[in-house]
Amino acid sequence: REGFLTNNRGTNKPKCGQPGRQTFPLKLHQILSDRSISHLVSWATHGRAWRVHDQKAFSGQVLPRYFKHSTYKSFTRQVNFWGFHRITKGPDQNYYYHDCFVRGNPDLCRDMIRKKQTDAKQSKKDADGVGGGDNLGCSPDFYQMAPAANSNEDLTHNSKRSSVSAPSTKFPHT
């Protein structure tokens, strides 16, 4: 059939960009929505960033359920390809964020674009403070923004809260 690839078992898989294909950001959103694994990976309290709490257990228990691999390095490569930024300072240190990746709003993922390999390598260098990126450790102040949906879902992992409620979904970055 047009618009589909046939694998060696004769079943049809949607081509890239075709309806029915679940992208990495959508799978990650689904993972973060699973409260039974929130001790391994979870949203920050504000719902605009996320992190893996136990890399070894995450690789062994979560990755094989959602991906064809179980290596954390492959997972982080995808994180970089999809343009996530690692927060290197402040209360959300070691969390990742993307302008279009917000708890309770998976439709925003449609605006995410997977970078080419060379672009992702440069993004990783910038995020790690190498290669001349001018956003070295700077990140949006999520606590000055309105919390995303289900804002009290992850209180155990990040307890700082804000009383300011100026909604915004776009963040400045390099």
Side-chain angles (χ1 to χ4, degrees), residues 65-84:
R65 287 177 25 199
Y66 292 90
F67 303 102
K68 295 177 184 176
H69 63 81
S70 61
T71 58
Y72 191 74
K73 186 175 181 178
S74 295
F75 175 77
T76 56
R77 189 177 307 120
Q78 288 299 315
V79 168
N80 290 319
F81 279 148
W82 282 94
F84 286 92

Side-chain angles (χ1 to χ4, degrees), residues 43-49 92 101-105 108 141-155 158-169 171:
W43 291 103
T45 54
H46 46 69
R48 298 175 188 281
D92 293 327
F101 197 79
V102 178
R103 181 178 50 216
N105 228 332
L108 286 177
D141 185 354
F142 298 113
Y143 301 98
Q144 294 298 316
M145 300 175 191
N150 304 320
S151 63
N152 58 0
E153 178 179 79
D154 187 30
L155 292 178
N158 193 342
S159 60
K160 186 173 178 181
R161 304 216 43 187
S162 171
S163 60
V164 178
S165 60
S168 173
T169 59
F171 316 117

Side-chain angles (χ1 to χ4, degrees), residues 102-136:
V102 178
R103 181 178 50 216
N105 228 332
D107 288 342
L108 286 177
C109 294
R110 292 179 186 163
D111 295 333
M112 295 177 74
I113 299 170
R114 188 177 189 277
K115 297 178 181 181
K116 295 176 183 172
Q117 189 168 0
T118 55
D119 295 341
K121 283 181 182 177
Q122 186 60 43
S123 291
K124 182 174 179 358
K125 286 180 182 178
D126 291 346
D128 290 341
V130 181
D134 62 348
N135 191 26
L136 305 178

Side-chain angles (χ1 to χ4, degrees), residues 23-69:
T23 62
F24 176 83
L26 288 174
K27 284 184 183 181
L28 181 55
H29 226 285
Q30 186 178 4
I31 291 168
L32 288 162
S33 297
D34 185 348
R35 298 184 73 135
S36 71
I37 57 172
S38 64
H39 62 289
L40 302 176
V41 59
S42 66
W43 291 103
T45 54
H46 46 69
R48 298 175 188 281
W50 59 274
R51 76 174 282 190
V52 174
H53 304 288
D54 184 338
Q55 292 179 13
K56 188 174 180 179
F58 178 77
S59 297
Q61 297 172 29
V62 179
L63 291 180
R65 287 177 25 199
Y66 292 90
F67 303 102
K68 295 177 184 176
H69 63 81

Side-chain angles (χ1 to χ4, degrees), residues 1-22 27 66-69:
R1 292 182 342 180
E2 191 172 317
F4 283 84
L5 298 173
T6 303
N7 63 19
N8 60 0
R9 287 171 280 187
T11 58
N12 293 321
K13 286 184 163 182
K15 284 184 183 177
C16 289
Q18 296 290 323
R21 182 170 189 276
Q22 191 175 27
K27 284 184 183 181
Y66 292 90
F67 303 102
K68 295 177 184 176
H69 63 81

